[in-house]
Amino acid sequence: MSKPHKHLLIIGAGIEACEGIAIAKAMGLKLLIADGNPTAPGLAMADWPIIESTYNGEGILTQIKQLMTTGLSVDGVIAMCADVPLSVATVSNALGLPGLSLESAFWVSDKLAMKTQLQSQGIPIPRFADVSDISSLKQKAAEIGFPLIIKPVDSRGARGVQLLDNEEQLENAWNIAANESPTARVMLEEFLEGPQFSTETLIDKGQCYTLGFSDRNYEWLERTKPFIIENGGDAPTGINDEIKVEVITTVEQAAAALNISQGVAKGDMVYTAQGPKVIEIAGRLSGGFFSTTQIPLATGVNFVEKAIKLALGEPLTDTEVLPSRHQAVAIRYLDLAPGKIKEIHGEAEAKSSKGVEMLKLFITPGSIIQPLANHTQRAGFAITYADDKQTAIDRAYDALSKIQVVYETSNS
């Protein structure tokens, strides 16, 4: 347990961050919480709220330094379910706190730089190409071959990420991807066949503890193409122990290649005919309630608490990261047709369904459901548990089936 009255800066106060912020409060920490939205729910738990964009590390640092002139100390900084490693590193490096170097933070913020660094260190990755200059698009696509992935170099939430089957789709897809990139940069990647996994690793001075390992679910893909929308995931994995070890070894080697020696590494992985390959590594806690809810539910380890300890420079013991349970866990998302919502029924019944750990809706009467193009548009989810994987999955679908939506149009 952290010493009383240590001060932690948390960047991000959105709905997903609240679970993690509550854990930090329970650890007895005093919290500085930064978010650009003054109504962000997590700010209510702050001892010192800071209204500043989570992407503006220098702006956050300026406000922190002003608070420090009053005698306030800051002992650690962490992003809570926000993909802002450069903001975290800007503060941590300026104040001499544990965390990523600015170089590592750049690598995990920029997908092209990440791939280049991983490639230089011999980490297995898909073939890739920079197509920020659209004039090279067709040539480089032909070199990689179809099907392939096109994506913004520096966006989040699967915005602009598309799976393409032929050359005729390229130009329109490039425009969509470029529009989602703050710097209008676009890249191509080889599409990797094989099961995909989400992993999450605690790293304490180079020692890795990969506690998060979930099979990713893409059953919606044929319907949402070219957009790639994940419909949750589940644990324990359906692959054998040997393959799981291979994937974990590769993700931990990738974290080392990006010089992530203290903190968290989140991996998006594929097991191909040639073995495991890295799609992306993030140097932060995951979203999707994976780190805050799913990993603790599956393993009994309070993952976010351990990540906070690392941010404070406190060492982890082998005992505290040893799983105390092996429980099946699933998350699935609410599948809704497009249209304007008039009424929502069944939420209470869904939440009380057997095995439901968490059920949240991101919609209200009046919400307009659009065809899915990125992960931020998903309407809600259920996280469930059971003694076995299939039962956990079935319980998630069962709970979501109790949500009844009435539309203002005829597609109810």
Side-chain angles (χ1 to χ4, degrees):
M1 181 63 66
S2 303
K3 295 177 183 177
H5 308 309
K6 275 196 172 183
H7 297 79
L8 177 70
L9 168 62
I10 294 176
I11 300 179
I15 186 66
E16 287 194 32
C18 291
E19 304 282 324
I21 294 171
I23 290 168
K25 293 286 281 189
M27 294 171 71
L29 300 168
K30 296 294 185 180
L31 303 181
L32 305 91
I33 304 179
D35 200 289
N37 176 8
T39 64
L43 288 174
M45 290 183 271
D47 296 286
W48 294 273
I50 296 171
I51 310 303
E52 185 60 77
S53 169
T54 56
Y55 299 108
N56 186 1
E58 290 292 347
I60 294 170
L61 179 61
T62 296
Q63 294 203 46
I64 292 295
K65 286 182 174 179
Q66 289 173 346
L67 287 169
M68 291 175 72
T69 64
T70 68
L72 185 71
S73 63
V74 178
D75 301 294
V77 55
I78 192 169
M80 202 60 73
C81 305
D83 191 2
V84 288
L86 277 170
S87 295
V88 174
T90 296
V91 177
S92 63
N93 282 269
L95 301 184
L97 300 172
L100 299 180
S101 68
L102 287 168
E103 182 179 51
S104 290
F106 170 67
W107 285 335
V108 297
S109 300
D110 186 293
K111 295 175 175 64
L112 196 58
M114 178 194 303
K115 287 294 194 317
T116 302
Q117 173 63 12
L118 291 174
Q119 185 180 60
S120 75
Q121 298 300 305
I123 303 299
I125 59 172
R127 297 192 305 276
F128 70 98
D130 181 1
V131 290
S132 298
D133 179 354
I134 195 172
S135 67
S136 66
L137 180 60
K138 290 186 178 180
Q139 174 198 333
K140 291 182 177 178
E143 291 171 1
I144 290 175
F146 292 93
L148 55 74
I149 303 293
I150 190 167
K151 62 172 67 171
V153 170
D154 47 3
S155 190
R156 301 159 179 85
R159 294 177 179 89
V161 180
Q162 298 155 82
L163 172 59
L164 307 183
D165 295 317
N166 56 66
E167 184 180 287
E168 287 69 34
Q169 298 172 286
L170 279 171
E171 188 170 338
N172 182 60
W174 187 95
N175 286 321
I176 291 171
N179 190 55
E180 295 289 356
S181 167
T183 55
R185 290 183 300 141
V186 180
M187 63 186 292
L188 298 178
E189 278 183 7
E190 171 191 10
F191 175 70
L192 299 176
E193 292 279 0
Q196 295 195 27
F197 313 100
S198 295
T199 68
E200 197 140 6
T201 306
L202 297 165
I203 306 176
D204 183 6
K205 295 182 172 62
Q207 175 66 48
C208 294
Y209 306 94
T210 299
L211 296 174
F213 200 104
S214 178
D215 296 348
R216 304 177 79 167
N217 179 279
Y218 287 99
E219 64 188 341
W220 292 349
L221 185 57
E222 287 306 312
R223 173 156 54 92
T224 63
K225 281 173 61 176
F227 301 107
I228 305 172
I229 309 299
E230 182 182 349
N231 183 25
D234 34 79
T237 179
I239 58 172
N240 63 45
D241 289 344
E242 182 180 347
I243 292 176
K244 181 178 179 181
V245 169
E246 285 186 61
V247 173
I248 289 174
T249 299
T250 301
V251 81
E252 292 178 357
Q253 290 171 342
L258 297 169
N259 292 338
I260 304 174
S261 60
Q262 183 80 4
V264 177
K266 169 188 174 292
D268 295 345
M269 305 291 294
V270 182
Y271 193 82
T272 72
Q274 295 78 42
K277 294 190 179 184
V278 178
I279 301 176
E280 289 176 11
I281 300 290
R284 59 174 177 86
L285 289 165
S286 59
F289 297 89
F290 189 53
S291 58
T292 56
T293 304
Q294 295 178 64
I295 296 175
L297 193 58
T299 67
V301 177
N302 189 329
F303 194 90
V304 172
E305 178 189 81
K306 311 312 174 190
I308 289 171
K309 288 186 66 175
L310 292 174
L312 294 168
E314 299 178 7
L316 302 179
T317 65
D318 290 342
T319 303
E320 69 181 308
V321 293
L322 189 67
S324 60
R325 73 163 74 106
H326 299 278
Q327 185 164 251
V329 176
I331 179 172
R332 290 293 187 271
Y333 288 88
L334 185 60
D335 189 9
L336 294 180
K340 186 173 183 179
I341 293 175
K342 181 179 180 181
E343 300 171 6
I344 302 170
H345 304 283
E347 183 177 358
E349 183 185 1
K351 286 182 175 179
S352 63
S353 297
K354 189 171 183 179
V356 172
E357 177 71 14
M358 179 183 290
L359 187 144
K360 287 186 180 292
L361 301 182
F362 306 129
I363 52 172
T364 59
S367 295
I368 297 175
I369 306 300
Q370 302 284 358
L372 286 172
N374 63 66
H375 289 160
T376 68
Q377 295 173 313
R378 294 180 295 202
F381 68 88
I383 295 174
T384 51
Y385 61 90
D387 292 335
D388 66 273
K389 178 186 179 99
Q390 189 57 53
T391 301
I393 294 170
D394 291 344
R395 286 176 173 177
Y397 286 124
D398 177 65
L400 292 173
S401 73
K402 293 178 169 61
I403 305 294
Q404 300 298 316
V405 173
V406 178
Y407 291 84
E408 291 192 3
T409 54
S410 59
N411 58 348
S412 57

